[in-house]
Amino acid sequence: MQTRVKIAIAGVVALVLAGLLALAAPVILPFLPERVQAAVGGTIETVPGTVKELFAATGLGEHEARGRVVTHAEVDDEYVIAAKIWPWELPEGWGFPKNRGVQDAPGAHWNGMGVAGAFSKWARASLGAVKDGRLAPDAANRLLDEVEDATLTLLDAGVLSDRRFVSQSVTPLRP
């Protein structure tokens, strides 16, 4: 009889722990490495589009849309839209995590933040693939060219603001 009670208690404890983990996952997930986030939540299927399509789909192609205040949910939606049609080459075997992994924060959210978030995840993965030495030299240079092109394009569109990113993060990785 004692064995059954112990098994029942263990089952209840496991169920409670699983429930607590499920409740805590949205809070914990953003702090986990990107690979873990993608493994837990999956990745977005990307069918590459063009820069023009990216801007049109996210409202960044319209001058009056820039600087528009949006909700946190709209930023998340914009991230997913951008990831689905990302116009630049993805690192081999990598995909955008389904969840942007950013909790809502006080303050204004702006149109373009979802695209900037997609750029950040993609650029980190791309530069990481080059740093890890997983790529042949020509593939590494092609990916670095993609990151540089994306950076300059998004800087010109007002989506990014760090004009030193290429010189500080891309250039040092070139042979």
Side-chain angles (χ1 to χ4, degrees):
M1 190 66 148
Q2 278 186 333
T3 304
R4 286 185 178 173
V5 171
K6 287 180 182 178
I7 291 172
I9 290 173
V12 169
V13 168
L15 186 63
V16 168
L17 287 174
L20 289 173
L21 228 125
L23 289 173
V27 175
I28 295 170
L29 195 61
F31 298 104
L32 297 175
E34 213 168 271
R35 288 181 182 171
V36 174
Q37 290 180 37
V40 170
T43 58
I44 296 170
E45 182 179 344
T46 301
V47 178
T50 65
V51 171
K52 186 176 180 177
E53 290 170 332
L54 173 68
F55 287 172
T58 57
L60 294 171
E62 305 163 17
H63 179 70
E64 62 276 1
R66 291 188 195 149
R68 181 173 54 87
V69 176
V70 297
T71 66
H72 179 80
E74 288 172 308
V75 172
D76 285 343
D77 291 344
E78 183 182 276
Y79 163 80
V80 171
I81 290 167
K84 285 182 177 180
I85 60 173
W86 196 250
W88 295 282
E89 182 180 342
L90 302 181
E92 177 93 21
W94 182 83
F96 286 95
K98 282 189 178 180
N99 186 325
R100 189 169 63 102
V102 177
Q103 295 298 311
D104 196 1
H109 298 72
W110 304 95
N111 189 38
M113 288 176 78
V115 173
F119 170 83
S120 177
K121 287 187 178 301
W122 168 77
R124 271 198 319 264
S126 297
L127 297 177
V130 172
K131 283 180 192 174
D132 292 348
R134 293 184 276 150
L135 304 173
D138 61 328
N141 278 325
R142 191 174 60 249
L143 202 50
L144 291 173
D145 288 344
E146 291 282 294
V147 173
E148 186 169 345
D149 178 61
T151 303
L152 297 175
T153 299
L154 295 176
L155 279 167
D156 287 346
V159 174
L160 302 178
S161 59
D162 184 0
R163 298 212 169 265
R164 299 174 305 176
F165 180 76
V166 170
S167 65
Q168 291 179 341
S169 301
V170 177
T171 304
L173 294 176
R174 294 200 183 269

